[in-house]
Amino acid sequence: MAPTPAAIRATVESYIRSVAKGTTDEVLALYAPGATVEDPVGTDVRITEESLREFYAMIEPLTQTGELLTLKIAGGNAAFLFRLTTHLGEQNLVMEVVDVMTFDDDARITSMKAYWSQEDMQTVPAS
Amino acid sequence: MAPTPAAIRATVESYIRSVAKGTTDEVLALYAPGATVEDPVGTDVRITEESLREFYAMIEPLTQTGELLTLKIAGGNAAFLFRLTTHLGEQNLVMEVVDVMTFDDDARITSMKAYWSQEDMQTVPAS
């Protein structure tokens, strides 16, 4: 049975919080076994837990703030726009991305595709 | 060769304009032969030109305004958030949707998936 919209929303919110402020283990716990990650779309798809771990471990040490801007749910899938701000002392790196996710019955992520390019990243003075 | 971001942007902008204010033929002209449409995601995928025509013909008579809110391009694909307002006399039906599209080398749409559900539609008084 497809997960409920509420369960999908909870996973998406946990995902953004974990990516911004959590550990790699916390992010990985939101994924189902065998899940795939394509970030950004057009690059090699990560298909092993090791490669997912490697990916999220890169951003674990960063000081970040995550913000869900828009979430659309359809047929047990989600597409959402979020903003990830990386705090780099006097500057912030601000990135806005659309992620598309599929889920298993327990609302664990089975695939993630991220739509963004260089032009969706900008550096702004920290306020 | 994948289409340029500028070509993809032009197709997406033409798509929103044509869906809101154009004819079914104008919308169909943006699609490549053999293109598929899943709107909303989770419903049957439309795989024939006839079924695409039937889909867009339903909204052709409506008085609508379309607005591109966010466009992300990655690896020759697009994900974008747009608002479609249907003018119904004293009321407007406002719908916000995330579409994901793939394109051929000429930036014609080869597939479209729309992420939305009932909760993304709301009726507001016309101002």
Side-chain angles (χ1 to χ4, degrees), chain B residues 29-74:
Chain B
L30 298 169
Y31 276 98
T36 59
V37 167
E38 186 180 357
D39 188 344
V41 166
T43 59
D44 286 348
V45 181
R46 292 170 186 268
I47 59 170
T48 64
E49 189 186 322
E50 189 188 348
S51 64
L52 267 63
R53 185 170 291 282
E54 178 188 60
F55 179 70
Y56 288 106
M58 288 189 293
I59 60 171
E60 183 176 348
L62 304 175
T63 304
Q64 295 184 306
T65 306
E67 212 180 327
L68 178 60
L69 302 177
T70 308
L71 168 62
K72 304 299 173 194
I73 297 172

Side-chain angles (χ1 to χ4, degrees), chain A:
Chain A
M1 220 181 64
T4 63
I8 289 175
R9 175 175 287 274
T11 296
V12 169
E13 289 176 348
S14 295
Y15 177 79
I16 293 174
R17 191 172 50 242
S18 301
V19 166
K21 306 229 178 257
T23 63
T24 301
D25 282 338
E26 284 166 340
V27 179
L28 268 284
L30 298 168
Y31 277 97
T36 60
V37 167
E38 186 179 356
D39 187 344
V41 166
T43 58
D44 286 348
V45 181
R46 292 170 187 268
I47 59 169
T48 64
E49 189 187 321
E50 189 188 349
S51 64
L52 266 63
R53 184 169 293 280
E54 178 187 61
F55 179 69
Y56 289 105
M58 287 189 292
I59 61 172
E60 183 177 347
L62 303 175
T63 305
Q64 296 184 307
T65 307
E67 212 179 330
L68 178 60
L69 303 177
T70 309
L71 169 62
K72 305 299 175 193
I73 297 172
N77 300 278
F80 56 95
L81 174 68
F82 71 107
R83 182 185 298 135
L84 191 60
T85 302
T86 304
H87 306 287
L88 304 166
E90 292 177 2
Q91 292 198 312
N92 286 332
L93 180 65
V94 182
M95 200 173 161
E96 287 191 10
V97 176
V98 171
D99 272 12
V100 172
M101 288 180 175
T102 57
F103 302 90
D104 69 7
D105 295 353
D106 299 318
R108 289 181 303 180
I109 306 160
T110 51
S111 71
M112 186 277 269
K113 289 180 167 212
Y115 293 80
W116 62 276
S117 63
Q118 288 298 329
E119 70 181 24
D120 301 308
M121 299 177 75
Q122 53 179 26
T123 308
V124 298
S127 52

